Amino acid sequence: YWSVPYKDAADCLHHLIYAYLRMWMGEFPDSTPPQEQLQARFAPRVQTAAGEEAVHLLAGALDWMRADFETKLDALSPIVRLAIRYIHDSVRTGDGGSIKEFSSKSGVIPAYLGHLFKEETGNFFNSYLMQCRINRSVLLLKNPAAKIKDVASQVGFASTSYFVRCFRENKGVSPARYRLGREE
């Protein structure tokens, strides 16, 4: 089922660091990603590692990334952490989600939450929500049997046409075209 497109552990680490940094920049666009720390800590050692040692180094890199990310999240205020969890849960369940809905559930004024969210994460609440929806839809589009309208609904869009427009603005192509490009 899974094919391994990596030449060796160093190549795998390179891709792992790249994916982590992309995720980091999506979550915390106004902060400096830990690229130098990752490279300095793991790259020299993994260059010569093989077999089980390479697996342990890659696992160590994953553990370090998780701890680093959790530290960054822990620095956020409790309400912003709750908002992020709410966004991810609403995207995962397809419940839509909005700043107004979260604010009414949490008792926080939407304008204050929006300001705090932007100040702490570097993202606007709605932009973050939209990016999470698009990211989730990319994963769902990997299933060739999934219909575009079902994917739109599964990530919380009430309208397929709005989903297609947002997807196109974000990825530069329609969801159907994106799927075709990924299958090649």
Side-chain angles (χ1 to χ4, degrees):
Y1 178 75
W2 286 87
S3 64
V4 180
Y6 310 113
K7 295 178 275 188
D8 54 24
D11 188 42
C12 182
L13 178 67
H14 170 77
H15 283 87
L16 184 64
I17 290 172
Y18 175 75
Y20 181 69
L21 294 175
R22 283 188 61 201
M23 187 256 330
W24 177 278
M25 291 307 297
E27 296 290 325
F28 310 108
D30 289 345
S31 64
T32 304
Q35 182 171 0
E36 291 80 22
Q37 291 173 308
L38 281 165
Q39 292 288 356
R41 186 178 191 112
F42 296 104
R45 293 173 38 213
V46 82
Q47 293 294 336
T48 59
E52 204 170 307
E53 181 187 6
V55 170
H56 286 299
L57 282 170
L58 291 171
L62 280 171
D63 287 342
W64 187 92
M65 289 174 194
R66 181 187 44 74
D68 181 55
F69 195 76
E70 286 175 0
T71 299
K72 184 69 174 165
L73 283 176
D74 287 346
L76 300 174
S77 65
I79 195 68
V80 171
R81 285 196 309 260
L82 279 174
I84 289 171
R85 180 176 296 134
Y86 164 82
I87 289 170
H88 286 277
D89 288 346
S90 70
V91 169
R92 185 181 41 77
T93 61
D95 290 337
S98 71
I99 193 167
K100 285 183 180 180
E101 183 181 307
F102 177 76
S103 292
S104 75
K105 287 180 178 181
S106 64
V108 177
I109 297 168
Y112 175 70
L113 175 63
H115 170 77
L116 193 60
F117 196 92
K118 171 69 173 153
E119 186 177 286
E120 291 188 20
T121 69
N123 287 305
F124 291 106
F125 184 99
N126 288 335
S127 298
Y128 185 84
L129 174 61
M130 183 63 64
Q131 191 59 52
C132 289
R133 287 177 175 171
I134 298 300
N135 291 347
R136 174 88 172 131
S137 71
V138 165
L139 294 174
L140 296 172
L141 287 168
K142 290 182 179 183
N143 176 358
K147 295 179 181 174
I148 303 296
K149 68 177 185 151
D150 294 337
V151 169
S153 175
Q154 288 173 0
V155 297
F157 283 91
S159 160
T160 303
S161 61
Y162 183 58
F163 165 66
V164 170
R165 188 173 83 215
C166 292
F167 192 95
R168 183 177 281 124
E169 286 173 5
N170 188 276
K171 298 294 182 188
V173 295
S174 70
R177 189 80 166 171
Y178 186 86
R179 176 186 275 163
L180 288 174
R182 293 309 226 186
E183 291 176 357
E184 296 176 42

